[in-house]
């Protein structure tokens, strides 16, 4: 599996301003994919040890510890904390914007009036009636 090359190169170039050859771009992209598969496999091991089938963020943190990427843990933990706070704010914002269900149910909708068939009307394919003249 390979990640989108443009995404990987955006990450690579965000750290420094330098040129990267075409074959180096391909190598970066493949290496990023391999790293994700490796980390996923390690996180899945932690998940299975805890008798779960869904990988959670804490499984990834444990996998990073177990695969000698501990130096990145403070960055990951900070990112996860900020992400969770942002998600909490979004959820609360949606909750505040949601209309009160008791108010919405108290509003009555106007009833549709049935159109009576007469000698001058005939039904069409859409269920509407046309007036014959």
């Amino acid at each position: 599996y390979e990640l989108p090359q443009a995404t990987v190169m955006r990450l690579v170039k965000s750290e420094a301003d330098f040129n990267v050859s075409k074959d180096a771009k391909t190598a970066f992209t493949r290496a990023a994919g391999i790293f994700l598969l490796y980390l996923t496999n390690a996180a899945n091991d932690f998940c299975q040890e805890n008798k779960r089938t869904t990988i959670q963020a804490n499984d990834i943190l444990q996998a990073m510890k177990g695969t000698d990427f501990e130096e990145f843990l403070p960055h990951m933990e900070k990112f996860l904390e900020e992400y969770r706070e942002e998600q909490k704010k979004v959820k609360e914002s949606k909750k505040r914007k949601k209309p009160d269900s008791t108010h919405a149910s108290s509003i009555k909708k106007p009833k549709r009036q049935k159109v009576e068939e007469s000698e001058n009307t005939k039904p069409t394919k859409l269920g509407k009636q046309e007036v014959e003249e």
Side-chain angles (χ1 to χ4, degrees):
Y1 178 77
E2 289 187 15
L3 299 169
Q5 196 173 57
T7 303
V8 174
M9 291 316 302
R10 199 173 315 123
L11 288 169
V12 170
K13 288 191 172 196
S14 70
E15 292 301 313
D17 187 27
F18 49 83
N19 294 324
V20 179
S21 69
K22 186 175 181 177
D23 61 335
K25 289 178 184 179
T26 303
F28 270 124
T29 303
R30 186 64 184 148
I34 290 170
F35 174 73
L36 281 176
L37 290 173
Y38 178 67
L39 191 60
T40 301
N41 190 30
N44 189 45
D45 289 344
F46 284 103
C47 188
Q48 287 180 349
E49 285 175 13
N50 293 310
K51 296 180 172 82
R52 288 182 284 107
T53 57
T54 303
I55 296 174
Q56 298 174 352
N58 290 335
D59 297 321
I60 296 169
L61 295 175
Q62 291 298 319
M64 290 177 74
K65 284 181 188 175
T67 55
D68 295 330
F69 288 98
E70 288 178 333
E71 65 185 86
F72 298 105
L73 282 176
H75 300 291
M76 280 295 296
E77 289 167 344
K78 181 180 177 189
F79 167 79
L80 281 173
E81 184 179 319
E82 290 171 356
Y83 173 78
R84 288 172 178 155
E85 284 296 318
E86 183 65 29
Q87 291 302 305
K88 192 176 184 181
K89 288 177 185 176
V90 168
K91 189 175 181 179
E92 289 172 358
S93 172
K94 285 182 181 179
K95 206 174 197 179
R96 277 186 255 124
K97 288 181 182 179
K98 198 173 187 179
D100 184 15
S101 61
T102 58
H103 175 70
S105 64
S106 65
I107 299 173
K108 292 185 179 181
K109 294 181 183 178
K111 291 184 179 179
R112 288 192 200 177
Q113 294 180 352
K114 290 186 180 180
V115 177
E116 298 286 329
E117 279 192 45
S118 68
E119 294 175 7
N120 296 342
T121 62
K122 65 177 182 176
T124 64
K125 291 180 183 178
L126 298 175
K128 295 181 180 178
Q129 297 177 349
E130 292 180 352
V131 176
E132 291 180 1
E133 294 182 25

